Amino acid sequence: MTEDTIKRRARGLDRAFDILDFLKEIGQPLRPNDIANGIGSPKSTVYELVASLLERRILEPVGKDGHVYLGRQLYFLGQAHLRHFDLSREADHALQEIVSQTRETAQMCLLNGRKYTVALMKEGERHFRISSDIGENAPIPWTASGRLLLAHLSDQQIIDLIDEDDYILPDGERLPLERFLAEIRQAGIDGFFSFDSVADTFTHCFAAPVKDPSGVAICTLCIVAPRADAKNNYDDYRRVLIESANSLARRINE
C-alpha cells in the first residue's frame, strides 16, 4: 500500500467520524446532502462514505426520503466497550452509592474533545426530577467539572483548547478568562469545585476529580442538588463526593 493510499484512507476515516459526530450533535436523521453542508465536506465524498457506513450498519436509513441516522451496530459496539471498560462499570457503582447516601442526582462527567459531556447518571431519590441528557456536549466553562478536568493543563493550553464563544454564559454574560483560570488553579489545589449552576436558577453543582496514577483527572464525579439542599448539606455532600471519587480512583488504578 502506497503512502498516498494510506493518507487517503486516513482522511476518509476522519470524514466518517465527522459524519457520526455531526449526527450525534444534531440529534436527528439527515440527508447526506445536509450532512455534507454541515461538516463542510464534498457531497460526493459524503455520499460514498454514507453508503459504506449503511452497508456496515453503522448508519441506518430512516423513512423514505433518504434520511440516515446512527445505526444499531453502534449500540452493540458500545455494549462491548462497556463490558471491558472498568471505569464505566466501577463508576456506575460509585454513582449508586452517592445517591444512596445523599438522595441527590449523581453523574460521571468527561471531556469530549473541546467540550464537556455527562457520560453516566443516576437520578436522585426525589419526587421531582433533576437530570441531564447523557452524551450531550456543553461548553467547558459552564461546568464545575471543567475546572477540574483542565487543572493539569497550562494556561496557554487552556486558551488554545476552548472556543471563544464558550465563555459566553447562558445569561449572555462573558466569563472573564482571568477568573476562569484562577478557578481552575484553585480547584486543582482543593481537589474539588462547586458553584450555582449557570444553566438554571435552582441547582448547585458539586464536582470531584477521579485521577490517574500521574495525577491527571480522567473524569469527575458530580452531585447536582437543589440550591437550598446543597447549602444545608454542603459539608456532607462535599465529603461523600470526594471520598467516592478517591475510592473510584483507587479501584481503577489498581
Side-chain angles (χ1 to χ4, degrees):
M1 187 180 299
T2 67
E3 185 176 348
D4 285 344
T5 300
I6 293 172
K7 289 181 178 179
R8 283 199 303 273
R9 290 191 175 184
R11 287 195 296 270
L13 184 60
D14 285 341
R15 290 297 188 188
F17 280 113
D18 287 342
I19 290 170
L20 299 179
D21 287 340
F22 185 66
L23 285 170
K24 171 182 171 291
E25 181 179 347
I26 296 300
Q28 64 182 31
L30 295 173
R31 296 186 181 91
N33 188 52
D34 298 322
I35 296 172
N37 291 334
I39 67 174
S41 183
K43 295 176 184 178
S44 59
T45 300
V46 170
Y47 273 95
E48 182 179 346
L49 288 170
V50 165
S52 181
L53 293 169
L54 285 168
E55 182 180 350
R56 289 165 173 77
R57 302 191 305 281
I58 300 299
L59 295 180
E60 59 185 31
V62 179
K64 300 179 180 179
D65 296 324
H67 290 74
V68 298
Y69 196 58
L70 304 175
R72 278 166 283 186
Q73 184 66 14
L74 292 173
Y75 170 79
F76 297 124
L77 291 173
Q79 290 300 303
H81 166 73
L82 288 175
R83 285 195 297 271
H84 296 278
F85 188 35
D86 288 341
L87 175 58
S88 291
R89 184 171 58 250
E90 294 292 343
D92 188 74
H93 297 313
L95 297 182
Q96 189 58 60
E97 183 61 25
I98 291 170
V99 173
S100 69
Q101 292 187 60
T102 67
R103 300 182 65 245
E104 305 292 359
T105 295
Q107 301 172 339
M108 182 187 79
C109 304
L110 303 164
L111 291 183
N112 183 21
R114 300 159 70 91
K115 304 293 181 179
Y116 151 98
T117 191
V118 176
L120 292 173
M121 182 178 67
K122 294 289 184 182
E123 289 189 17
E125 299 172 353
R126 291 182 169 277
H127 295 300
F128 60 93
R129 187 170 178 261
I130 296 177
S131 65
S132 300
D133 291 331
I134 294 176
E136 181 177 344
N137 288 332
I140 296 171
W142 294 16
T143 68
S145 292
R147 275 74 174 170
L148 296 159
L149 293 167
L150 301 183
H152 65 289
L153 299 179
S154 69
D155 288 359
Q156 189 59 54
Q157 287 174 318
I158 294 168
I159 292 169
D160 293 341
L161 176 69
I162 297 177
D163 295 327
E164 274 296 313
D165 288 346
D166 285 356
Y167 291 104
I168 301 175
L169 303 177
D171 63 2
E173 293 292 322
R174 174 176 284 272
L175 176 65
L177 175 61
E178 296 77 10
R179 174 181 157 194
F180 183 56
L181 293 175
E183 289 175 345
I184 291 172
R185 298 303 164 220
Q186 192 60 51
I189 294 170
D190 296 340
F192 174 81
F193 189 81
S194 80
F195 68 173
D196 287 341
S197 172
V198 300
D200 61 59
T201 60
F202 60 90
T203 62
H204 189 89
C205 302
F206 301 76
V210 178
K211 296 182 178 180
D212 68 13
S214 67
V216 173
I218 55 177
C219 69
T220 60
L221 297 185
C222 308
I223 291 174
V224 184
R227 291 184 182 180
D229 294 294
K231 180 178 180 180
N232 292 335
N233 299 284
Y234 189 92
D235 290 340
D236 189 43
Y237 289 2
R238 184 180 189 275
R239 175 188 57 78
V240 168
L241 194 61
I242 291 175
E243 288 179 355
S244 297
N246 290 341
S247 177
L248 175 58
R250 287 193 295 271
R251 293 199 300 276
I252 64 174
N253 290 327
E254 288 177 351

